[in-house]
Amino acid sequence: MTRTKRLVVVGGGMVAQRLVEALRDRDTGGTWSVDVFTEESRPPYDRVALTTFFSGRDPDDLLLGDAGLWHQDGVRLHTNSRVRAVDTESRQVHVRGRVYDYDALVLATGSSAFVPPVPGADLPGSFVYRTVDDVAELRAWVEHRSAEHDRPVRGAVVGGGLLGLEAAGALQAMGVGTTVVELAPRLMALQVDEGGGEALRRLITGLGIDVRTSTATAALRSGRHGRLARMDLDGGKLPVDVVVFAAGVRPRDELAREAGLEVGERGGVVVDDHCRASAPDVYAVGEVACVHGRCWGLVGPGNTMAEVVVDRLLGGTATFPGADTSTKLKLLGVDVASFGEVVAGPGSLEVVYADPVAGVYKKLVVSDDAQTLLGGVLVGDASAYASLRPMVGGALGADPTSWLLPAGSAPAPSGDLPDEAGVCSCNNVTAGTIRAAVTEHGCTDLAEVKACSRAGTSCGSCLPLVKTLMTTELERAGVAVSNALCEHFDVSRAQLFDIVRVAGLRTFTEVVERHGRGKGCDICRPVVASILASLGQGHVLDADQARLQDTNDHVMANLQKDGSYSVVPRVPGGEITPEGLLVIGQVAQDFGLYTKITGGQRIDLFGARVEQLPAIWQRLVDAGFESGHAYGKAVRTVKSCVGQTWCRYGVQDSVGLAVALELRYRGLRAPHKIKLGVSGCARECAEARSKDVGVIATENGWNLYVGGNGGFTPRHARLLAEDLDTDTLVRTVDRFLMYYVRTADRLQRTAPWVDAVEGGLDGVRAVVLEDSLGIAADLDAAMAAHVAGYEDEWAATLRDPEKLARFVSFVNAPDTPDPSLAYVLERGQRRPATEQERDGGVLVAGPTLEVRS
Amino acid sequence: MKVVDVDRLVPERGVAVLVDGHQVAVFLVDGAVYAVSHRDPFSGAHVMARGIVGSSGDRVTVASPMYKQVFDLASGACLTEPDVRLPVWRARIEEGAVHVDLVPVLEPA
Ligand code: SRM
Ligand SMILES: Cc1cc2nc3c(=O)[nH]c(=O)nc-3n(C[C@H](O)[C@H](O)[C@H](O)COP(=O)(O)OP(=O)(O)OC[C@H]3O[C@@H](n4cnc5c(N)ncnc54)[C@H](O)[C@@H]3O)c2cc1C
Ligand code: SF4
Ligand code: FES
């Protein structure tokens, strides 16, 4: 394919991403090659979702679209590459001392955060909120200050708009005592009216964030260390350790200005309806473009501009039609939304519902015959947003007040929207396009509809409506909405569990022949293996099951990045004898294994080769150790604190209970891993409330908490029952775990599972404590069978020569170590060599370093 | 080159073999043998023989145990990232033994 024209895009943000995606989709003749230059170090990411960075999301999860886009033929992405100058005469851009020619140029440089010119705005401790790097620095700063002070960190956000409140939410989530300082008389002045602003203030203040409206920031002052220490406001002083400026954005039109392009009165590259700037073949899109006399600070209009430019490049005549500036945001659990006109003008009416006690304010702006919806403001309960927004400009179809009543009494989001109603404003997707994704493109689940229509892929606020539309369409087509496990099974894990249990199936072959198709895959095979194991159907390495297991379960160790494994012996309750420690130390030394204390109160030995595992385990089993199941979707550890035995405050024997629980539930297979914790008093040193099952001692017995989770979405466990005696506690945990094992979905941990059980936590309580389903005896029996049938998998494997035969590196050279392994020494232990270390010939040891056995 | 007796293989569970210093993953599925590179192209680790065998439509597949990309065993093509391919070697069963030659199979038979 010969590409004859060169497109250069300056800026690699959200809109640039959409532009390149659309160009690659539609330039089927392969006319254009495209070079994208961005000064950031990452490919385009979802700036709209930036705040999720604080809930532990990895920056890589924010990357937009399909990463393959940037490796396609004719597409080049240059990161860390700031464009220094544009020359529209010679049609060139200057980047890092090099010059690139273009046939067409698109400016997609976005905006920068506006920092008002107050003295001290550049002190260490003052931040903006625009890029991943900004939020990463902000978080690091807060973490350092928290570690330094023995009081909470104090912060302020300058600006009470959409961004300011997002930033305030992020600060608060990090435990920072936060004040929002806003110049205007109300919060979110651009989006909501006075009544909405007032409701919002009450809600935000109720969450512990201080709000000061009609307040100007005069200066920032430093303290002894030269760091930010104080804010001078026109109404007093505020001690602060950190300030975030979220006082608006300014288009990044500096390149355009220097190149002599026309810019708007308030900034932005002036473009016409076709997004063309004032020099030939130069376009501007996204936040930097000034179209129809204004810059648009939302991703939706930017995406439309990107589509317009692609159309022009390919010879079309598209124009920018204007855009929807609706917004919805959910911060700290507070809903705020506005759409269309937010204040009534001549010829229109306002219908208001306010409940100051519940902190709800809702207003619709309608035509004076109350028939047509013109806009609205929703604060405190925005559940009607997804349904109302697409109706702007159309008939309401019901008495307006019916839309404003408290959640629950409002009409359900409607599946009957006209095809042309816009559903996803971020990506400009109409109801018709979503329906077509189902009817014409054959999508059958939300993920497919998202990928096909792009609806819901940015801020996600439209997803409930997208889902309703999809389900309605699927049902209309007679398709049952699928909860299929994968292409081989039409049922969910919970359904499959019941089928296997009731029919007494014992092998994968039986299960797939009767209830599935094909050979299975890496999704359903381990699920069936786990179900068979939960039902006590034999050893994980029995012939039929062996081929179902993920490598971790197959060799009963955890795969590491270089193909070696780690070994974790069980240390019940974290209690270990000095003799036990010596054995583990000796084994590690003899086999040259890297050792580390895990987060689960035990010891991990890394770098074992598959053919070494039996010898390592023989030594461990001889010394009385058992498999720790660190590799399995199974019970992992019961973490304990030292408890009453030694601790001055302990009120029960937490170690004793932890050991007993761990020995009782060891080896139990489940939809996901299960962790438990036991603390000896309310000080909670075992962090039991972050576990699936947490037990905290009281003067009178044990409090039982369930559904805690670390990981991606941390959750505290919630109280299931109080002051239980030990027997009742154990019986309740038995039932809780078995009920979970039987009914949860694949890879669903207890926190989301509890939410999904009918009735939530109360529902779970009814089943395990009041036997509301009449299955308690069954659950008890199942756990009793598990306890009686437990056998250490490693001890069993070592006794069985047939199973041992599998632990070879190569079947035709059983003891030859994987020749590709390479290690270097670091802090006195070995670790896998990096690519550079291998290439650079740095001192590297081969696979058999230090093995002395 | 003869690498292993067929009856040493567990159906649908791979093994690694060394062929002239090359690491090769061998699978026995429905009586047929497949030989692909043992090196996972995504992680660079030599682990492919430890992946889970399955099917996708009519194709027999193996999923990398490292990051779970799925490959067609006959052609080596990665189903999720079509630009990536596992080298496939010539393999056959002869007199009860599996033979693997380092002759690349470009088009599956
Ligand atoms: C070794 C250890 C880190 C350490 O050096 O301390 C570890 C290591 C791994 N963790 Fe973990 N986790 C370890 C404690 C934790 C903890 C802390 C704890 O248990 O107290 C958590 C948070 C608590 C929780 O689970 O709720 C934790 C949350 C995760 C998650 C997120 C789970 C979630 O619900 O989102 C994963 C991913 C997963 O399981 O899908 C994970 C997955 C992993 C895997 C299995 C990733 C992988 O596939 O390679 C790591 C391999 C273990 C290995 O090679 O041995 N690990 N992991 C810890 C082993 C504890 C043990 O003794 O068994
Ligand atoms: C926290 C936050 C929340 C938001 N929430 C929403 C929301 O809910 N809904 C919504 O619609 N919008 C929201 N937005 C706005 C939305 O992110 C922007 O409208 C959108 O990102 C604009 O895209 P863009 O491509 O025009 O600019 P950007 O995404 O800003 O990308 C511009 C890129 O160009 C780079 N660049 C600039 N100059 C140069 C140069 N000379 N050389 C090389 N590279 C350069 C910049 O570094 C940047 O990477 C939010 C923004 C933030 C920060
Ligand atoms: S939780 Fe209680 S018993 Fe346990 S160590 Fe802390 S203070 Fe002591
Ligand atoms: S409205 Fe933002 S993703 Fe659809």
Side-chain angles (χ1 to χ4, degrees), chain A residues 165-515:
Chain A
L165 293 183
E166 268 205 59
L171 283 182
Q172 216 210 14
M174 289 187 288
V176 176
T178 306
T179 304
V180 173
V181 181
E182 167 60 55
L183 193 59
R186 63 171 184 272
L187 294 174
M188 287 186 72
L190 290 181
Q191 290 89 5
V192 306
D193 64 339
E194 225 180 292
E198 200 37 51
L200 191 55
R201 167 211 289 281
R202 265 197 305 273
L203 287 167
I204 302 278
T205 316
L207 293 166
I209 293 179
D210 204 14
V211 176
R212 306 208 187 169
T213 48
S214 304
T215 304
T217 303
L220 304 188
R221 308 279 181 211
S222 59
R224 267 183 299 135
H225 304 287
R227 296 193 303 241
L228 177 63
R230 198 181 83 203
M231 240 176 137
D232 291 346
L233 305 174
D234 56 7
K237 300 184 194 334
L238 198 66
V240 284
D241 307 302
V242 56
V243 164
V244 179
F245 284 99
V249 296
R250 293 290 178 270
R252 294 196 52 182
D253 54 14
E254 63 272 9
L255 278 177
R257 284 176 195 268
E258 282 162 26
L261 294 171
E262 189 190 337
V263 293
E265 221 170 278
R266 300 168 63 194
V269 182
V270 172
V271 296
D272 63 10
D273 265 3
H274 307 300
C275 297
R276 291 183 300 199
S278 59
D281 297 308
V282 179
Y283 300 82
V285 295
E287 284 194 1
V288 75
C290 173
V291 52
H292 296 174
R294 57 173 287 195
C295 292
W296 304 71
L298 293 170
V299 66
N303 284 340
T304 309
M305 294 177 215
E307 302 276 357
V308 167
V309 170
V310 167
D311 190 71
R312 304 286 314 178
L313 292 176
L314 299 176
T317 56
T319 56
F320 179 73
D324 182 2
T325 53
S326 310
T327 26
K328 175 174 177 221
L329 121 129
K330 188 177 187 86
L331 269 177
L332 307 143
V334 177
D335 278 339
V336 190
S338 76
F339 49 96
E341 291 173 23
V342 295
V343 183
S348 56
L349 301 170
E350 294 186 349
V351 185
V352 178
Y353 167 89
D355 177 351
V357 181
V360 174
Y361 173 90
K362 302 186 204 178
K363 177 172 91 174
L364 295 188
V365 179
V366 295
S367 59
D368 53 10
D369 59 0
Q371 294 298 310
T372 308
L373 179 66
L374 300 175
V377 176
L378 305 169
V379 175
D381 168 18
S383 52
Y385 171 79
S387 308
L388 283 170
R389 191 182 46 74
M391 293 164 60
V392 171
L396 258 179
D399 176 358
T401 50
S402 69
W403 289 95
L404 298 180
L405 296 176
S409 51
S414 150
D416 310 325
L417 287 171
D419 271 352
E420 61 283 3
V423 171
C424 172
S425 55
C426 288
N427 301 290
N428 307 306
V429 186
T430 61
T433 309
I434 292 164
R435 293 194 178 109
V438 176
T439 52
E440 282 163 36
H441 303 284
C443 301
T444 53
D445 62 26
L446 200 55
E448 285 174 12
V449 171
K450 280 169 72 181
C452 171
S453 68
R454 294 214 182 96
T457 52
S458 304
C459 74
S461 69
C462 59
L463 279 176
L465 186 57
V466 175
K467 188 161 181 207
T468 312
L469 285 166
M470 176 193 78
T471 315
T472 314
E473 222 45 51
L474 283 173
E475 281 165 357
R476 203 168 279 163
V479 180
V481 181
S482 165
N483 53 3
L485 196 56
C486 64
E487 69 168 275
H488 307 101
F489 287 95
D490 295 332
V491 291
S492 70
R493 178 193 177 275
Q495 291 166 319
L496 198 58
F497 192 102
D498 283 337
I499 292 171
V500 174
R501 181 172 60 92
V502 173
L505 304 181
R506 303 187 62 89
T507 65
F508 179 74
T509 314
E510 283 177 339
V511 178
V512 78
E513 271 172 10
R514 294 210 210 157
H515 302 281

Side-chain angles (χ1 to χ4, degrees), chain B residues 32-43:
Chain B
V33 281
Y34 299 87
V36 299
S37 168
H38 190 33
R39 182 176 180 278
D40 168 20
F42 292 94
S43 62

